[in-house]
Amino acid sequence: MFTSERELEDRLATPSAALVTDAGELDGDLVVLGAGGKMGPSLVRLARRALDAAGRGSARVYAVSRWSDDDAARALADEGVDVVRHDLMGDGDLAALPDAANVVFMVGAKFGTSAAPYQAWAVNAALPAAVARRYRDSAIAAFSTGNVYPLVDVASGGSAEGDRPEPVGEYAMSCLGRERIFEHAAAVYGTRVAILRLNYAVDLRYGVIADIAATVAAGEPVDVTTGHVNVVWQGYANEVALRSLRHARAPEAFTLNLTGPETASVRRTATRVAAALGVEAAFSGEESGTALLNDASRCHGLFGYPDVPLDTLIAWQADWLSRGLPLSGKPTKFAVRDGRF
């Protein structure tokens, strides 16, 4: 359990022994593009601590973002991270970005893109083309999404990496475009690439469980039409992203589903949160037979199972709310079924 955001941040940024070992095997520096997003600061802090623990304190970690949150930027700088202020979608030349042998690409546009689909394509596909040219000689781990797959039967075990993508809506289409751009770099430039199809990271301030718990706490009914989800502890997701740099390859990019092993029931999750909070859960809708689900067995075979299981995440989330600790106010919209965000 956590009593403050600082405790949560420290837990998210504590590297495993396996990550420290892999960090010691990486050559050169690391640049994280889009480091100011929901997952970026904890990933950057985790990378810095892992490199230090591996005896590679001289390797630099560059956190690139517009950095509208000055406090977050200062906190990272205080931990030895090189904070770089750069608007990746502005007029700045990407050549001005620092060189690095390793790149984590975390930039993405999702919410609001149904009203402005061109924004999704500009951020999710055009920008990756520029980044791939700038860092063609680096290893790139690029975050993608399980939304590139279609909804599948809840009893299917989820979509696997070899399944054909069938994105629904322009957000998902543009994310597949991002993947294709980085695959092009692997095939044409020889850029070593790892693509990470993530569903859905949880860090207690946001995520599917936070969405469900906040609805329960507000006394509102939980819509169970999308009745099943995959979630994963954000600390594990960030570890996999960093460790995947050693698996990045060319001419065929390395593609990996990144999520937890459980198919979580929305109804059961809400019921458990309600019991922990001492309230009754209310529901609306009926469970559909399909959902956006990924089979991450390949990921677990390579990197082990997440160190924080679903039961623990639910208990932590209920305790977080009961203590009055903050939420981000940025819902996942996991229940959206038509691809419109």
Side-chain angles (χ1 to χ4, degrees), residues 209-267:
I209 303 177
D211 292 347
I212 295 169
T215 302
V216 170
E220 299 172 357
V222 176
D223 186 351
V224 294
T225 306
T226 297
H228 298 83
V229 292
N230 292 143
V231 298
V232 67
W233 170 237
Q234 181 181 297
Y236 176 83
N238 283 342
E239 285 225 0
V240 169
L242 293 169
R243 295 182 66 192
S244 72
L245 286 163
R246 296 194 63 212
H247 296 264
R249 68 188 186 199
E252 181 180 348
F254 172 74
T255 302
L256 192 71
N257 288 346
L258 174 50
T259 194
E262 305 95 345
T263 297
S265 162
V266 172
R267 185 183 295 272

Side-chain angles (χ1 to χ4, degrees), residues 33 64 84-99 127 130-131 133-135:
L33 303 176
V64 180
V84 179
R85 295 182 183 270
H86 191 101
D87 183 356
L88 294 168
M89 291 301 296
D91 296 330
D93 185 355
L94 296 191
L97 294 175
D99 293 332
L127 177 60
V131 168
R133 288 191 297 270
R134 170 65 180 85
Y135 289 105

